[in-house]
PDB file of all heavy atoms in Angstrom:
ATOM      1  N   GLY A  58     -25.249  50.168-107.262  1.00 64.00           N
ATOM      2  CA  GLY A  58     -26.474  49.398-107.572  1.00 64.00           C
ATOM      3  C   GLY A  58     -26.298  47.925-107.575  1.00 64.00           C
ATOM      4  O   GLY A  58     -25.201  47.461-107.311  1.00 64.00           O
ATOM      5  N   PHE A  59     -27.252  47.220-107.936  1.00 74.00           N
ATOM      6  CA  PHE A  59     -27.162  45.777-108.096  1.00 74.00           C
ATOM      7  C   PHE A  59     -26.584  45.396-109.353  1.00 74.00           C
ATOM      8  O   PHE A  59     -26.688  46.111-110.386  1.00 74.00           O
ATOM      9  CB  PHE A  59     -28.501  45.164-107.811  1.00 74.00           C
ATOM     10  CG  PHE A  59     -29.125  45.381-106.573  1.00 74.00           C
ATOM     11  CD1 PHE A  59     -30.591  45.408-106.452  1.00 74.00           C
ATOM     12  CD2 PHE A  59     -28.421  45.596-105.403  1.00 74.00           C
ATOM     13  CE1 PHE A  59     -31.199  45.637-105.233  1.00 74.00           C
ATOM     14  CE2 PHE A  59     -28.976  45.854-104.210  1.00 74.00           C
ATOM     15  CZ  PHE A  59     -30.399  45.872-104.150  1.00 74.00           C
ATOM     16  N   VAL A 150     -53.266  49.104 -93.793  1.00 96.00           N
ATOM     17  CA  VAL A 150     -52.360  49.167 -94.984  1.00 96.00           C
ATOM     18  C   VAL A 150     -51.317  50.285 -94.777  1.00 96.00           C
ATOM     19  O   VAL A 150     -51.647  51.258 -94.101  1.00 96.00           O
ATOM     20  CB  VAL A 150     -53.016  49.333 -96.316  1.00 96.00           C
ATOM     21  CG1 VAL A 150     -54.070  48.230 -96.585  1.00 96.00           C
ATOM     22  CG2 VAL A 150     -53.754  50.655 -96.361  1.00 96.00           C
ATOM     23  N   ARG A 260     -43.711  40.979 -93.277  1.00 96.00           N
ATOM     24  CA  ARG A 260     -43.554  42.359 -92.749  1.00 96.00           C
ATOM     25  C   ARG A 260     -42.206  42.558 -92.089  1.00 96.00           C
ATOM     26  O   ARG A 260     -41.243  41.835 -92.405  1.00 96.00           O
ATOM     27  CB  ARG A 260     -44.701  42.588 -91.776  1.00 96.00           C
ATOM     28  CG  ARG A 260     -46.113  42.169 -92.237  1.00 96.00           C
ATOM     29  CD  ARG A 260     -46.649  43.080 -93.372  1.00 96.00           C
ATOM     30  NE  ARG A 260     -46.861  44.367 -92.947  1.00 96.00           N
ATOM     31  CZ  ARG A 260     -46.054  45.399 -93.179  1.00 96.00           C
ATOM     32  NH1 ARG A 260     -44.974  45.293 -93.928  1.00 96.00           N
ATOM     33  NH2 ARG A 260     -46.360  46.622 -92.673  1.00 96.00           N
ATOM     34  N   THR A 268     -32.043  40.542 -92.185  1.00 92.00           N
ATOM     35  CA  THR A 268     -30.923  41.346 -91.884  1.00 92.00           C
ATOM     36  C   THR A 268     -30.022  40.779 -90.800  1.00 92.00           C
ATOM     37  O   THR A 268     -28.815  40.790 -91.045  1.00 92.00           O
ATOM     38  CB  THR A 268     -31.506  42.685 -91.299  1.00 92.00           C
ATOM     39  OG1 THR A 268     -32.427  43.297 -92.288  1.00 92.00           O
ATOM     40  CG2 THR A 268     -30.474  43.704 -90.979  1.00 92.00           C
ATOM     41  N   SER A 432     -37.476  51.750-112.592  1.00 79.00           N
ATOM     42  CA  SER A 432     -37.169  52.070-111.239  1.00 79.00           C
ATOM     43  C   SER A 432     -38.284  52.929-110.661  1.00 79.00           C
ATOM     44  O   SER A 432     -39.024  53.560-111.397  1.00 79.00           O
ATOM     45  CB  SER A 432     -35.832  52.879-111.109  1.00 79.00           C
ATOM     46  OG  SER A 432     -35.995  54.188-111.598  1.00 79.00           O
ATOM     47  N   SER A 460     -50.652  55.561 -99.881  1.00 86.00           N
ATOM     48  CA  SER A 460     -49.621  56.550-100.279  1.00 86.00           C
ATOM     49  C   SER A 460     -49.708  56.980-101.777  1.00 86.00           C
ATOM     50  O   SER A 460     -49.618  56.106-102.638  1.00 86.00           O
ATOM     51  CB  SER A 460     -48.169  55.789-100.034  1.00 86.00           C
ATOM     52  OG  SER A 460     -47.239  56.533-100.717  1.00 86.00           O
TER      53      SER A 460
ATOM     54  N   ASP B  31     -31.931  57.333-108.587  1.00 74.00           N
ATOM     55  CA  ASP B  31     -32.682  56.269-109.319  1.00 74.00           C
ATOM     56  C   ASP B  31     -32.077  54.922-109.073  1.00 74.00           C
ATOM     57  O   ASP B  31     -30.922  54.719-109.093  1.00 74.00           O
ATOM     58  CB  ASP B  31     -32.459  56.647-110.806  1.00 74.00           C
ATOM     59  CG  ASP B  31     -33.689  56.308-111.570  1.00 74.00           C
ATOM     60  OD1 ASP B  31     -34.673  55.975-110.911  1.00 74.00           O
ATOM     61  OD2 ASP B  31     -33.593  56.452-112.821  1.00 74.00           O
ATOM     62  N   TYR B  59     -38.388  59.515 -96.751  1.00 93.00           N
ATOM     63  CA  TYR B  59     -38.969  58.638 -97.735  1.00 93.00           C
ATOM     64  C   TYR B  59     -40.210  57.855 -97.170  1.00 93.00           C
ATOM     65  O   TYR B  59     -41.041  57.389 -97.895  1.00 93.00           O
ATOM     66  CB  TYR B  59     -37.849  57.516 -98.196  1.00 93.00           C
ATOM     67  CG  TYR B  59     -38.067  57.200 -99.627  1.00 93.00           C
ATOM     68  CD1 TYR B  59     -37.788  58.065-100.632  1.00 93.00           C
ATOM     69  CD2 TYR B  59     -38.659  55.942 -99.876  1.00 93.00           C
ATOM     70  CE1 TYR B  59     -37.941  57.731-102.000  1.00 93.00           C
ATOM     71  CE2 TYR B  59     -38.830  55.594-101.248  1.00 93.00           C
ATOM     72  CZ  TYR B  59     -38.490  56.523-102.275  1.00 93.00           C
ATOM     73  OH  TYR B  59     -38.674  56.267-103.562  1.00 93.00           O
ATOM     74  N   TYR B  86     -24.304  51.576 -91.567  1.00 95.00           N
ATOM     75  CA  TYR B  86     -25.399  50.550 -91.724  1.00 95.00           C
ATOM     76  C   TYR B  86     -26.132  50.416 -90.436  1.00 95.00           C
ATOM     77  O   TYR B  86     -27.357  50.513 -90.353  1.00 95.00           O
ATOM     78  CB  TYR B  86     -24.676  49.229 -92.058  1.00 95.00           C
ATOM     79  CG  TYR B  86     -25.662  48.104 -92.201  1.00 95.00           C
ATOM     80  CD1 TYR B  86     -26.270  47.679 -93.367  1.00 95.00           C
ATOM     81  CD2 TYR B  86     -26.028  47.274 -91.085  1.00 95.00           C
ATOM     82  CE1 TYR B  86     -27.017  46.607 -93.504  1.00 95.00           C
ATOM     83  CE2 TYR B  86     -26.862  46.193 -91.204  1.00 95.00           C
ATOM     84  CZ  TYR B  86     -27.410  45.910 -92.403  1.00 95.00           C
ATOM     85  OH  TYR B  86     -28.237  44.775 -92.488  1.00 95.00           O
ATOM     86  N   GLN B 135     -48.615  58.695 -95.528  1.00 94.00           N
ATOM     87  CA  GLN B 135     -47.791  57.439 -95.605  1.00 94.00           C
ATOM     88  C   GLN B 135     -47.013  57.468 -96.886  1.00 94.00           C
ATOM     89  O   GLN B 135     -47.530  57.495 -98.050  1.00 94.00           O
ATOM     90  CB  GLN B 135     -48.798  56.334 -95.643  1.00 94.00           C
ATOM     91  CG  GLN B 135     -49.518  56.102 -94.294  1.00 94.00           C
ATOM     92  CD  GLN B 135     -50.550  54.993 -94.320  1.00 94.00           C
ATOM     93  OE1 GLN B 135     -51.591  55.279 -94.723  1.00 94.00           O
ATOM     94  NE2 GLN B 135     -50.196  53.825 -93.857  1.00 94.00           N
ATOM     95  N   GLU B 138     -42.438  52.132 -97.425  1.00 91.00           N
ATOM     96  CA  GLU B 138     -41.956  51.311 -96.300  1.00 91.00           C
ATOM     97  C   GLU B 138     -40.547  50.879 -96.504  1.00 91.00           C
ATOM     98  O   GLU B 138     -40.270  50.266 -97.559  1.00 91.00           O
ATOM     99  CB  GLU B 138     -42.873  50.123 -96.059  1.00 91.00           C
ATOM    100  CG  GLU B 138     -42.605  49.404 -94.729  1.00 91.00           C
ATOM    101  CD  GLU B 138     -43.696  48.400 -94.500  1.00 91.00           C
ATOM    102  OE1 GLU B 138     -43.819  47.465 -95.239  1.00 91.00           O
ATOM    103  OE2 GLU B 138     -44.280  48.576 -93.418  1.00 91.00           O
ATOM    104  N   LYS B 140     -37.775  48.310 -95.933  1.00 90.00           N
ATOM    105  CA  LYS B 140     -37.640  46.936 -95.338  1.00 90.00           C
ATOM    106  C   LYS B 140     -36.315  46.739 -94.618  1.00 90.00           C
ATOM    107  O   LYS B 140     -36.319  46.159 -93.630  1.00 90.00           O
ATOM    108  CB  LYS B 140     -37.773  45.961 -96.494  1.00 90.00           C
ATOM    109  CG  LYS B 140     -39.107  45.796 -97.128  1.00 90.00           C
ATOM    110  CD  LYS B 140     -39.039  44.679 -98.257  1.00 90.00           C
ATOM    111  CE  LYS B 140     -40.300  44.683 -99.025  1.00 90.00           C
ATOM    112  NZ  LYS B 140     -40.148  43.758-100.197  1.00 90.00           N
ATOM    113  N   SER B 145     -25.223  47.257-100.283  1.00 82.00           N
ATOM    114  CA  SER B 145     -25.156  47.319-101.786  1.00 82.00           C
ATOM    115  C   SER B 145     -24.668  48.684-102.200  1.00 82.00           C
ATOM    116  O   SER B 145     -25.291  49.673-101.991  1.00 82.00           O
ATOM    117  CB  SER B 145     -26.488  46.902-102.422  1.00 82.00           C
ATOM    118  OG  SER B 145     -26.536  47.264-103.647  1.00 82.00           O
ATOM    119  N   ALA B 146     -23.489  48.728-102.940  1.00 82.00           N
ATOM    120  CA  ALA B 146     -23.013  49.970-103.531  1.00 82.00           C
ATOM    121  C   ALA B 146     -22.821  51.089-102.495  1.00 82.00           C
ATOM    122  O   ALA B 146     -22.952  52.271-102.818  1.00 82.00           O
ATOM    123  CB  ALA B 146     -23.857  50.427-104.713  1.00 82.00           C
TER     124      ALA B 146
END
Side-chain angles (χ1 to χ4, degrees):
Chain A
F59 299 152
V150 303
R260 314 289 295 105
T268 301
S432 74
S460 165
Chain B
D31 216 5
Y59 214 70
Y86 178 94
Q135 289 173 280
E138 190 168 61
K140 289 182 187 169
S145 162

